[in-house]
Amino acid sequence: MQVGVRREQRAGERRVAATPETVQQLTALGLDVAVQSNAGAAAGYGDAAFAAAGASIVAELPAETLDVLLHVRPLEPEAAARLRPGTVTIGFASPASELPSVGALAAAHVTSFALELVPRISRAQSMDALSSQSLVSGYRAVLEAALRYPRFFPLYMTAAGTIPPARVLVLGAGVAGLQAIGTAKRLGARVSANDIRAASADEVASMGGTFIDLDLDTRTADAAAEGAGGYARELGQDRAKRQRALLAPHVAAADVLITTAAVPGRAAPLLVTAEMVAGMRPGSVVVDLAAESGGNVEGVIAGRDLQIPVEGGSVTLVGLQDAASAMPSDASRLFAKNVANLLALMTADGKVVPDFDDDVIAGACLTHGGCVVHAATAEALEALP
């Protein structure tokens, strides 16, 4: 069976859905792998390396003969429509925001697997692309903040005087947040963090940060802050308003604020208002990792730096976009391994035959047999005019 690896089409996307290492893994399963020319060039994986690993290099992927298509970003509706019925696709699908593409996949009778839907269970950890890419994004967010912050991160004691460490506040202690905490700590900053999930306190401490407990009563059953798979659940309006009020003095005291809070399939929760940003000191930096899904910070624009006027200067508000793509080599290494592991799960004797009795395969499936099988996405499509 032929597996195709596409060259990503979206501006700013530098990752690739396979590496020479995963090509070897897939060919060992009896699959033929075709890589579109220059698919991995931006990530540092040249055509020669893919060819040496056993892949064939093609100028254009033959959509009419592909059995499996591997991709990073969601397929465009036109690309989905060109696939023949029964084709299997694996990659990010962003089903909540890419409904036309989902509809096109279903109409083409494509069996698509969305990596966002991979169940958060132990057996599926090696296929969890959300976590692997969040690790890259959390690391990158700190580097972006350090580049824009006009002072040092670490403490320096010199003959000319003492320079205090930067105070970094991280909101959201999922994979991205914990990586941001660890990276800022390694750079010498004084790091604190907050998350609405009770279990996050120990995780923050394990990375060297100080947990800020806002006492929002999220430990009680009626206010549970942890949803399925360990993801955060969005707070009600009253508690969210109280959360912002309690966070305000901590935001004002921070030199660098990094926000990472996200609720899968929904717009990012608002954690920081424009008034809170205006209360920060001049020279401070705010990096919003959730900018592409609406942002945790009021007024943020994905892909842009904004200078927010404050008394004595300005605060830099960064709407981080394509964070994982900014480190394409390692991001692709992790992503490609996630993809290959999921594909291996549904491959036997050189044939890709998904077993929908398997919880991982069934959970990750978005479309199959001309239908949208993911219930929430199907409902959203039906609600469209």
Side-chain angles (χ1 to χ4, degrees):
M1 299 186 75
Q2 188 171 55
V3 177
V5 180
R6 81 186 304 235
R7 182 174 61 243
E8 295 299 315
Q9 302 299 308
R10 298 205 180 192
E13 182 52 70
R14 301 166 64 197
R15 291 171 292 179
V16 61
T19 63
E21 178 188 356
T22 62
V23 166
Q24 290 179 331
Q25 178 182 350
L26 297 179
T27 54
L29 294 172
L31 301 172
D32 295 324
V33 181
V35 177
Q36 191 172 6
S37 181
N38 291 321
Y45 302 107
D47 289 349
F50 280 114
S56 57
I57 308 301
V58 297
E60 297 293 336
L61 290 175
E64 66 281 356
T65 62
L66 285 181
D67 297 297
V68 180
L69 176 62
L70 308 182
H71 59 93
V72 180
R73 290 289 186 138
L75 297 176
E76 305 80 12
E78 299 79 9
R82 287 195 296 270
L83 297 173
R84 64 184 180 83
T87 302
V88 171
T89 66
I90 301 177
F92 282 137
S94 302
S97 59
E98 300 283 348
L99 291 177
S101 293
V102 176
L105 288 166
H109 286 246
V110 169
T111 299
S112 62
F113 293 91
L115 293 174
E116 298 94 333
L117 304 180
V118 170
R120 299 272 288 190
I121 58 179
S122 297
R123 193 166 65 87
Q125 285 182 348
S126 66
M127 310 161 208
D128 187 356
L130 281 180
S131 291
S132 74
Q133 300 308 288
S134 292
L135 182 147
V136 180
S137 298
Y139 175 80
R140 186 70 188 192
V142 176
L143 300 187
E144 296 288 347
L147 287 172
R148 292 166 173 82
Y149 184 56
R151 294 184 283 278
F152 290 125
F153 264 40
L155 166 70
Y156 281 116
M157 300 180 70
T158 75
T162 299
I163 297 175
R167 285 171 287 191
V168 175
L169 172 61
V170 178
L171 300 183
V175 175
L178 292 173
Q179 183 62 22
I181 293 166
T183 303
K185 193 69 179 177
R186 286 190 290 272
L187 288 177
R190 183 180 299 163
V191 187
S192 57
N194 171 257
D195 193 288
I196 60 174
R197 294 166 294 185
S200 297
D202 291 339
E203 295 172 346
V204 169
S206 72
M207 300 301 292
T210 300
F211 187 76
I212 298 172
D213 190 348
L214 299 180
D215 191 24
L216 287 171
D217 299 326
T218 55
R219 291 175 176 80
T220 61
D222 63 329
E226 187 168 308
Y231 289 110
R233 176 179 291 141
E234 191 170 6
L235 295 178
Q237 289 188 3
D238 290 343
R239 277 193 172 83
K241 184 176 180 180
R242 184 182 173 206
Q243 179 191 32
R244 291 191 289 269
L246 294 173
L247 278 174
H250 299 284
V251 170
D255 300 306
V256 173
L257 171 64
I258 297 173
T259 66
T260 71
V263 180
R266 301 185 64 179
L270 178 65
L271 302 182
V272 180
T273 64
E275 183 180 2
M276 293 163 71
V277 173
M280 299 178 75
R281 287 185 294 273
S284 299
V285 178
V286 179
V287 177
D288 191 341
L289 259 180
E292 290 182 90
S293 58
N296 298 141
V297 183
E298 186 178 10
V300 72
I301 300 176
R304 289 185 57 185
D305 285 16
L306 303 177
Q307 297 300 319
I308 309 301
V310 299
E311 185 177 351
S314 63
V315 171
T316 302
L317 173 56
V318 183
L320 207 55
Q321 188 173 32
D322 299 321
S325 290
M327 310 199 76
S329 183
D330 284 336
S332 296
R333 184 195 304 269
L334 297 173
F335 183 87
K337 197 65 177 177
N338 297 143
V339 169
N341 288 339
L342 180 57
L343 182 54
L345 185 63
M346 59 182 83
T347 303
D349 301 323
K351 301 292 184 182
V352 177
V353 184
D355 175 9
F356 292 101
D357 290 329
D358 185 301
D359 290 343
V360 175
I361 292 174
C365 189
L366 178 61
T367 65
H368 176 64
C371 300
V372 178
V373 297
H374 181 245
T377 305
E379 292 174 5
L381 267 174
E382 290 176 0
L384 288 178

